[in-house]
Amino acid sequence: MRILKHDYLIIALAAPLLFIACADNDVYDPDRVRPVAPVENPLGDDFVAPDGFDWSMLATVKLNIEVKDKFNGQYKYLIEIFTRNPLSDATATPLAAGYAKSGTNYTTEISIPKSIEHLFIRQTDPKQRQTVYQYITPKDGNTLSCQLYYPVTQTRTLNIPGKSGWDRISSLVKEYSGEQETSINELVENPEFEPYSNNQLKNGDVYVIKSGDVFSGQLTNYNGKATVIVRGTWNMNSTPQGLDIYVTNGGQITGQPYMGDRCSLEIQKGGFINSQSFQTQTNISVKNFGTFKVSGNISFNTGSSLYNDKNATFTTAADINFGQAQITVRNFGTITAQNAKDINSGVIYNAENATFTIVQDVDVTSTQILNHGVMRVGAFKTNSNLNSIIANYGTGTIIADKVIGGAIVINDNLFELNTFDCSNHTAATLYNNCTLIAKTSIVLGNLIMDSGSITGKRTSDKEWESAPSVRIINETTQELYNGSIIKAINFYTGNTCTIIGSKTEEASMIQAQKFIYTGTTHIKENLILDREKEYYNEEPVPSNNPWMVDKAATVVTTEYGTASNPINNCSGTVYPGNPGTIDPEDPPKPDTGDNTIYTYAFEDQWPAYGDFDMNDVIITIDKISTTNKDKQVSIQGHVRAVGASRKTGIGIQFLNVKSSGVTISGKVQSGNPIFEAGQNNPVVILCTNAHKFCKPNITDNDFAFYCTVPGDNSEGDGAEFEIKMMFPTAEEAAQAANIKNIDVFIITQDGHGIIGRTEVHMAHYAPTNLGTKELLGMSNDASEYNNMLKLPKKGYYLSTEGLAWGICIPNTEVWKWPKEYNPITNVYPKFKDWVINGGKAEDLNWISDHNNNIFVKP
């Protein structure tokens, strides 16, 4: 329900009357609550939060982590949870840590910013070897169950397998599916039928070569269509026209068949083609559900198509000539030939579980090869116009001797060959999202790898040989994303080439015994160079790193084989990291901490709306750490700005823990923090006067703005505070360190008489035991049913229009709050979208999209 402006006026005029009616003899009673009239929405009548929007930018994740215990429970595996990849950020601190072993999983609950898309789980085994796993962050409150090992049956081990390159064919490729045999009506057989002169059939007639019969004549229909059903044998040495030919179970065609104009051929299950050769005219459809065996050449003419069904075989001891233009081959069974020639502007589709074998060469021009099954080829020979595509899908395997030319190659599973050569094709591109094995050499044009690997052959579960030679041609770009790896004996860079590592926190790697620069080379982003020696041409690279080897600061160089970073892709662990210590022991448990900076921004007029500049009090929690065997929690932060014009206090309520048995120390306004008396939950008061906390030398009643108006009382970073708590158990400490259990609030008016103090909390956080309950549901508030506006309850510290008086903003830096007198919607234009759209993930970036009306220190 929306309250109109004149409604607010009526309520405002009525509010004093409500107070008078409640007073005894018009005498002011400090123990009574004076009604607070609602005010208009300062952000506009259309600024209404949808039902269910909770204002939280935090997500809770439950984790259940299982390890593959190779020590039968004798030792523990250390599990650490990160929001940043510790492989690429040595300063990353685990948000949580614990142990797991056989029969005992590590379970915990963490709270993280909703903007965090991935969690990183680092496992340290009893030999102190470390492996990092990346998982997609589940939705708020969901459980993430993790197996920190790769099952034998699993073909892809990353949660986000690479998918680069598929946009090159998405607009061209349609779905191909299997077909059913044509149903043959048994009643059409006419044993008395005789063809007309010149072996012609009438339009619509059906001629049956009966079982046991051998027919050696010619059948045709020159103008229309007739049907021939082969149940016996047709020794075809002619060119039929206008016929739909069906070879049924037990039937066969022999001789040298040539499918003429307007023909189609269907070999049904149990049917055979067993001929010396086979040819088609243009636009001929051939469907094989049985056995198609030719001893000589097979030729398909322009526009023809071949469908080979599951369990069907299509073989020739010689070549298949595809007629140069617009041939479609759909294989769901087995196709075998010596060569596949002159494939121009065609499609070869090899389905999952199908096998396509060309012993020698496949010559393609402007053709798409789409493999979901197994392809074995001598050599792919492609043209140079980059219109040919070899696409190996997630279920596909391609084994070849060579790939030569300028094709676009996309690999999403296993591509194994001896030689890959794109020499002189600077625009050729290899998209490798999985495993490419080069047993002899590989010469790359452009490369885009996404969770992929280029190596020699695999020798064991975690052992891969190096490709003998990997060479980059001049003026090309190599992009290695998301834990990709090139493993080579000799790695050669081209002149004026660029190597780009991962743009995420998951490092990629080039591992080479010899890293050889042959010209100016730019190396960027998050990349590990794991090498034994570096050369410029034949000379070792000097220690001063000449200009021709341009390494960005993010590029890590290590001695060959010493990098601890494991690299995993769809085939499992390609590089396992160092072997670790000799004697196993429990890994030491590290200190944990939350290095996210949480900025709390408050409006102080609750239960009425304020001006929504969200700078009346700005508090940050800068760091949360757990030490001393998980029992001591330290919370460090600042009171950074005060835009309130009255005395304002600040407190923290700790939820889901008790104060019993907890020792507390640190620094607050009063000196050492203590737990406030009369509270069910532990409550620490950071300050009773935020203005004076930030500027100790001012008077008690100096409520001038601090750090909200540039140049006006804006020195320093505010007031620093720290709360250290030692808990009886590690479980209680973990609860206290969880940001969702840290309820930061402000106190805008002290309690008086029997009336509690006025507290302002984040949305859905209840007041403390000492906070007033009488103002709940009054004015604009909908913590309880609002009698003034006759509107239902929405939740603690939410308005009747779903708005909040406090926001917690998680980020890697302190959130930049608005200057005084600037509503948040004027400073952060996407803030409104975030609210009215219900907090969608795509709107979370509102916190960094601002204009110049943010507070900046002079």
Side-chain angles (χ1 to χ4, degrees):
M1 175 179 178
R2 183 168 296 166
I3 307 300
L4 301 178
K5 293 182 178 180
H6 72 272
D7 297 325
Y8 283 113
L9 177 61
I10 293 171
I11 296 168
L13 292 172
L17 300 177
L18 290 172
F19 164 67
I20 293 171
C22 295
D24 294 333
N25 301 321
D26 292 341
V27 176
Y28 172 71
D29 184 350
D31 291 343
R32 292 185 179 273
V33 175
R34 300 169 67 91
V36 180
V39 299
E40 293 185 33
N41 186 338
L43 300 182
D45 291 342
D46 63 337
F47 198 102
V48 178
D51 289 341
F53 179 51
D54 63 4
W55 287 85
S56 176
M57 301 181 74
L58 302 174
T60 298
V61 179
K62 299 175 182 177
L63 295 110
N64 180 18
I65 301 172
E66 176 187 356
V67 299
K68 188 173 184 178
D69 190 349
K70 297 182 180 180
F71 298 90
N72 299 318
Q74 297 180 67
Y75 306 98
K76 298 175 182 177
Y77 286 69
L78 175 65
I79 307 299
E80 299 168 275
I81 313 300
F82 297 85
T83 56
R84 293 181 293 171
N85 191 339
L87 295 181
S88 55
D89 185 354
T91 66
T93 300
L95 188 63
Y99 290 109
K101 61 180 180 179
S102 179
T104 303
N105 291 359
Y106 172 57
T107 59
T108 191
E109 181 179 282
I110 60 174
S111 294
I112 59 175
K114 288 181 178 178
S115 59
I116 299 295
E117 297 181 354
H118 297 92
L119 288 175
F120 300 90
I121 301 175
R122 183 167 69 187
Q123 171 189 280
T124 304
D125 72 6
K127 286 196 170 185
Q128 315 309 309
R129 295 172 296 196
Q130 294 185 331
T131 310
V132 172
Y133 302 84
Q134 176 180 316
Y135 289 87
I136 297 175
T137 304
K139 293 182 179 179
D140 188 21
N142 286 1
T143 297
L144 179 61
S145 296
C146 310
Q147 292 179 324
L148 302 190
Y149 55 89
Y150 301 106
V152 175
T153 57
Q154 187 170 334
T155 58
R156 287 192 180 275
T157 57
L158 286 180
N159 291 78
I160 308 178
K163 286 293 180 184
S164 63
W166 294 107
D167 58 315
R168 300 297 300 267
I169 63 172
S170 60
S171 62
L172 304 175
V173 176
K174 59 185 178 182
E175 292 294 327
Y176 293 100
S177 59
E179 297 192 13
Q180 299 293 323
E181 289 183 344
T182 303
S183 177
I184 304 299
N185 190 336
E186 295 289 343
L187 300 180
V188 299
E189 183 172 351
N190 182 359
E192 298 180 357
F193 176 83
E194 292 291 339
Y196 290 91
S197 61
N198 298 321
N199 295 313
Q200 293 188 51
L201 299 175
K202 287 182 179 180
N203 290 341
D205 275 350
V206 177
Y207 182 76
V208 179
I209 300 174
K210 294 186 290 185
S211 178
D213 288 357
V214 177
F215 179 77
S216 298
Q218 178 178 357
L219 297 170
T220 191
N221 181 298
Y222 287 119
N223 298 314
K225 270 293 184 81
T227 300
V228 175
I229 300 174
V230 182
R231 292 198 174 101
T233 298
W234 186 357
N235 184 23
M236 186 188 298
N237 292 287
S238 58
T239 305
Q241 299 182 46
L243 300 181
D244 292 328
I245 303 171
Y246 300 92
V247 183
T248 65
N249 187 9
Q252 66 174 332
I253 292 178
T254 59
Q256 300 181 59
Y258 190 135
M259 297 293 111
D261 289 341
R262 297 173 289 108
C263 282
S264 69
L265 174 64
E266 181 176 310
I267 300 93
Q268 300 191 335
K269 293 178 182 177
F272 292 86
I273 292 286
N274 192 355
S275 64
Q276 299 170 31
S277 64
F278 182 86
Q279 299 181 69
T280 74
Q281 189 51 270
T282 60
N283 303 312
I284 303 300
S285 170
V286 177
K287 298 179 181 179
N288 179 35
F289 297 87
T291 301
F292 199 119
K293 184 178 181 181
V294 178
S295 59
N297 292 329
I298 298 174
S299 296
F300 288 91
N301 214 324
T302 300
S304 295
S305 65
L306 168 64
Y307 171 79
N308 195 50
D309 194 55
K310 181 180 179 181
N311 299 321
T313 59
F314 188 98
T315 62
T316 176
D319 301 339
I320 302 178
N321 190 314
F322 283 100
Q324 299 187 358
Q326 300 176 349
I327 303 297
T328 300
V329 177
R330 291 180 292 157
N331 179 39
F332 291 79
T334 301
I335 293 179
T336 304
Q338 285 295 307
N339 293 282
K341 296 182 177 181
D342 297 329
I343 309 171
N344 188 354
S345 304
V347 174
I348 297 178
Y349 175 84
N350 196 45
E352 187 174 352
N353 299 318
T355 301
F356 188 97
T357 302
I358 303 297
V359 177
Q360 296 179 20
D361 298 340
V362 175
D363 296 322
V364 295
T365 301
S366 301
T367 293
Q368 299 174 65
I369 298 175
L370 312 174
N371 179 50
H372 295 261
V374 176
M375 297 192 80
R376 294 184 174 90
V377 175
F380 288 102
K381 295 182 178 180
T382 66
N383 62 321
S384 302
N385 62 11
L386 303 179
N387 291 326
S388 293
I389 296 175
I390 303 172
N392 191 38
Y393 288 76
T395 58
T397 297
I398 296 179
I399 300 175
D401 176 41
K402 297 177 181 178
V403 173
I404 300 173
I408 302 300
V409 178
I410 310 168
N411 176 44
D412 225 25
N413 196 34
L414 174 62
F415 203 130
E416 181 176 333
L417 44 76
N418 287 316
T419 301
F420 186 99
D421 192 352
C422 291
S423 298
N424 303 316
H425 299 291
T426 57
T429 304
L430 165 63
Y431 298 89
N432 182 33
N433 303 308
C434 196
T435 304
L436 191 144
I437 296 174
K439 297 179 181 178
T440 303
S441 65
I442 180 166
V443 180
L444 294 167
N446 295 292
L447 169 67
I448 298 177
M449 285 213 297
D450 190 352
S451 301
S453 64
I454 295 176
T455 67
K457 66 181 181 180
R458 189 175 193 166
T459 57
S460 69
D461 183 48
K462 293 186 178 181
E463 294 291 333
W464 298 74
E465 292 183 357
S466 298
S469 176
V470 176
R471 184 183 295 271
I472 300 169
I473 63 177
N474 297 341
E475 299 178 347
T476 57
T477 300
Q478 318 300 309
E479 301 173 60
L480 284 69
Y481 297 132
N482 302 320
S484 295
I485 182 172
I486 296 175
K487 187 177 173 71
I489 294 176
N490 295 320
F491 182 87
Y492 298 85
T493 72
N495 186 32
T496 318
C497 70
T498 301
I499 304 173
I500 303 173
S502 179
K503 293 185 178 180
T504 66
E505 294 181 326
E506 186 175 6
S508 294
M509 179 184 291
I510 298 175
Q511 185 184 62
Q513 293 180 19
K514 289 186 178 180
F515 203 97
I516 305 165
Y517 304 98
T518 61
T520 303
T521 304
H522 305 278
I523 308 176
K524 303 178 180 180
E525 304 295 345
N526 188 8
L527 187 68
I528 300 170
L529 304 182
D530 187 80
R531 86 290 180 269
E532 184 174 309
K533 296 180 180 179
E534 289 184 79
Y535 291 87
Y536 182 74
N537 290 324
E538 300 299 326
E539 299 294 326
V541 172
S543 58
N544 62 357
N545 192 18
W547 62 269
M548 70 284 295
V549 184
D550 175 25
K551 292 181 183 177
T554 54
V555 176
V556 177
T557 303
T558 62
E559 294 296 325
Y560 183 77
T562 65
S564 61
N565 302 64
I567 301 293
N568 305 290
N569 71 3
C570 63
S571 295
T573 301
V574 181
Y575 174 73
N578 67 64
T581 60
I582 298 175
D583 297 323
E585 61 180 353
D586 293 345
K589 192 174 182 181
D591 295 339
T592 58
D594 187 349
N595 291 327
T596 298
I597 297 176
Y598 299 93
T599 303
Y600 293 81
F602 286 95
E603 279 292 304
D604 68 348
Q605 295 297 313
W606 181 88
Y609 284 137
D611 57 6
F612 253 101
D613 55 12
M614 301 308 295
N615 66 11
D616 291 342
V617 181
I618 300 292
I619 306 142
T620 61
I621 292 180
D622 306 327
K623 185 177 182 180
I624 304 170
S625 56
T626 305
T627 58
N628 293 343
K629 298 182 179 179
D630 288 339
K631 294 183 180 181
Q632 178 174 291
V633 175
S634 174
I635 300 172
Q636 298 172 310
H638 286 81
V639 180
R640 295 188 180 267
V642 186
S645 298
R646 55 178 164 181
K647 180 182 177 183
T648 306
I650 304 171
I652 297 179
Q653 177 177 212
F654 294 93
L655 306 176
N656 298 315
V657 295
K658 297 180 179 180
S659 59
S660 177
V662 180
T663 59
I664 185 170
S665 61
K667 175 187 176 183
V668 294
Q669 186 178 31
S670 62
N672 291 324
I674 61 172
F675 289 129
E676 193 174 32
Q679 300 281 19
N680 289 339
N681 296 318
V683 175
V684 174
I685 300 300
L686 301 180
C687 65
T688 57
N689 186 333
H691 294 84
K692 195 169 179 62
F693 191 27
C694 292
K695 293 181 68 66
N697 295 328
I698 64 176
T699 62
D700 291 346
N701 60 356
D702 182 353
F703 302 133
F705 297 150
Y706 175 76
C707 285
T708 61
V709 179
D712 184 9
N713 293 317
S714 302
E715 310 86 39
D717 293 321
E720 184 178 4
F721 64 86
E722 181 175 19
I723 302 172
K724 294 182 179 180
M725 295 174 288
M726 182 69 76
F727 288 87
T729 67
E731 290 74 18
E732 290 177 284
Q735 289 281 17
N738 190 324
I739 190 65
K740 78 166 187 177
N741 293 325
I742 299 176
D743 173 21
V744 178
F745 64 94
I746 63 173
I747 303 167
T748 59
Q749 183 173 329
D750 293 333
H752 53 88
I754 63 172
I755 305 304
R757 67 197 180 199
T758 303
E759 299 176 353
V760 184
H761 293 251
M762 297 288 117
H764 298 289
Y765 283 88
T768 72
N769 292 93
L770 302 183
T772 182
K773 310 300 187 296
E774 287 78 5
L775 293 177
L776 301 178
M778 188 177 287
S779 187
N780 299 102
D781 180 66
S783 298
E784 299 290 351
Y785 180 82
N786 192 305
N787 283 296
M788 290 183 170
L789 302 176
K790 306 302 181 185
L791 290 173
K793 174 180 178 179
K794 283 185 175 287
Y796 283 115
Y797 296 96
L798 283 175
S799 77
T800 55
E801 293 171 298
L803 306 186
W805 282 265
I807 314 173
C808 175
I809 304 161
N811 201 359
T812 56
E813 59 183 19
V814 177
W815 178 66
K816 298 175 176 62
W817 56 91
K819 293 177 185 176
E820 197 63 53
Y821 315 118
N822 286 275
I824 189 171
T825 48
N826 291 352
V827 181
Y828 286 89
K830 294 183 179 179
F831 174 78
K832 182 176 181 179
D833 292 337
W834 175 66
V835 175
I836 65 176
N837 292 338
K840 292 182 179 180
E842 56 266 31
D843 295 322
L844 287 172
N845 64 349
W846 74 264
I847 66 175
S848 56
D849 185 2
H850 57 77
N851 57 33
N852 292 330
N853 288 319
I854 56 170
F855 174 79
V856 178
K857 290 182 182 179

